[in-house]
């Protein structure tokens, strides 16, 4: 695992890609630059044919297709990526802000 992988947080974001898609690569880089590791799935894989049909039926005809818990879009959309990163950070609290898992008796 590289240091970039260690810094990135696995997310609830999925990027559906196609081979040799520059917009797909840029979308993934935008997320990773902001510390988010999206799940990446290849729409050209035979096991994803139903998903490809679903995406096209919804009116999307451009890769990448991005799914978040609250949104979905196709194409390179830096504005939507910024919004998704912000929502992802709000949904996943920083470890430094989480409550401690232990208690200490301060009465002594």
């Amino acid at each position: 695992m590289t240091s970039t992988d260690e810094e990135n947080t696995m997310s609830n974001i999925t990027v559906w890609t196609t081979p040799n898609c520059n917009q797909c690569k840029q979308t993934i880089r935008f997320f990773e630059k902001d510390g988010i590791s999206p799940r990446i799935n290849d729409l050209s894989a035979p096991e994803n044919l139903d998903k490809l049909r679903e995406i096209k039926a919804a009116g999307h005809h451009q890769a990448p297709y991005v799914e978040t818990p609250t949104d979905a879009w196709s194409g390179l959309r830096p504005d939507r990526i910024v919004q998704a990163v912000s929502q992802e950070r709000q949904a996943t609290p920083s470890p430094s802000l989480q409550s401690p898992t232990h208690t200490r008796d301060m009465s002594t």
Side-chain angles (χ1 to χ4, degrees):
M1 190 181 315
T2 67
S3 62
T4 302
D5 292 336
E6 292 169 359
E7 294 169 5
N8 288 356
T9 302
M10 192 55 145
S11 70
N12 294 315
I13 298 169
T14 302
V15 179
W16 294 88
T17 66
T18 57
N20 303 316
C21 170
N22 286 326
Q23 288 189 5
C24 299
K25 292 172 188 172
Q26 287 181 291
T27 295
I28 294 164
R29 274 196 295 263
F30 273 118
F31 279 118
E32 289 176 344
K33 176 183 67 75
D34 284 323
I36 304 295
S37 292
R39 285 184 297 277
I40 301 166
N41 294 317
D42 184 353
L43 283 169
S44 68
E47 65 270 16
N48 293 328
L49 183 58
D50 288 340
K51 183 64 177 183
L52 178 59
R53 288 181 182 137
E54 175 188 321
I55 291 168
K56 285 184 175 185
H60 299 280
H61 300 286
Q62 183 179 6
Y65 178 73
V66 180
E67 292 177 311
T68 75
T70 60
D71 199 6
W73 69 86
S74 60
L76 177 60
R77 295 290 309 270
D79 58 324
R80 304 280 277 282
I81 294 169
V82 167
Q83 196 173 27
V85 167
S86 176
Q87 290 174 346
E88 189 74 13
R89 285 189 177 143
Q90 290 174 359
T92 309
S94 168
S96 63
L97 299 177
Q98 292 178 355
S99 300
T101 57
H102 63 280
T103 57
R104 184 171 148 197
D105 185 1
M106 302 295 279
S107 61
T108 57

